[in-house]
Amino acid sequence: MNKPSGDLSDALARKGSFVQTLRAVAWSFFGVRRSREYEQDVQKLNPVHVIVAGVMAAAAFVLGLVLLIRWVVGSGVAAG
């Protein structure tokens, strides 16, 4: 079995918390992030946490849209 490259194992050993990762992913959904803060995130955050947080945020976003649409359609506002 191949040993992971130094860059990958270094990235996976980062100590950024999952809460920091969620915050970074939330800001990325809005598309507003200072380049300095982005660079800090790149240095601190674990890539696995970023992927998990991104999938969770995308699922929550889709679920929120589905619930909003069901509420609007169910309330009769869309029948206009």
Side-chain angles (χ1 to χ4, degrees), residues 54-70:
V55 169
M56 287 173 47
F61 179 72
V62 170
L63 179 64
L65 287 178
V66 169
L67 292 173
L68 176 67
I69 290 168
R70 292 183 86 190

Side-chain angles (χ1 to χ4, degrees), residues 3 5 16 20-22 38 40 42 52 58 65-67 69 72 79:
K3 183 180 177 191
S5 68
Q20 289 173 321
T21 304
L22 286 175
Y38 170 76
Q40 288 175 350
V42 168
V52 171
L65 287 178
V66 169
L67 292 173
I69 290 168
V72 168

Side-chain angles (χ1 to χ4, degrees), residues 3-40:
K3 183 180 177 191
S5 68
D7 291 339
L8 180 59
S9 60
D10 290 344
L12 294 176
R14 293 179 186 156
K15 300 291 184 195
S17 73
F18 195 68
V19 173
Q20 289 173 321
T21 304
L22 286 175
R23 188 178 309 131
V25 168
W27 279 113
S28 69
F29 265 69
F30 288 111
V32 290
R33 195 77 175 148
R34 293 181 184 156
S35 62
R36 183 182 57 113
E37 291 173 351
Y38 170 76
E39 291 298 326
Q40 288 175 350

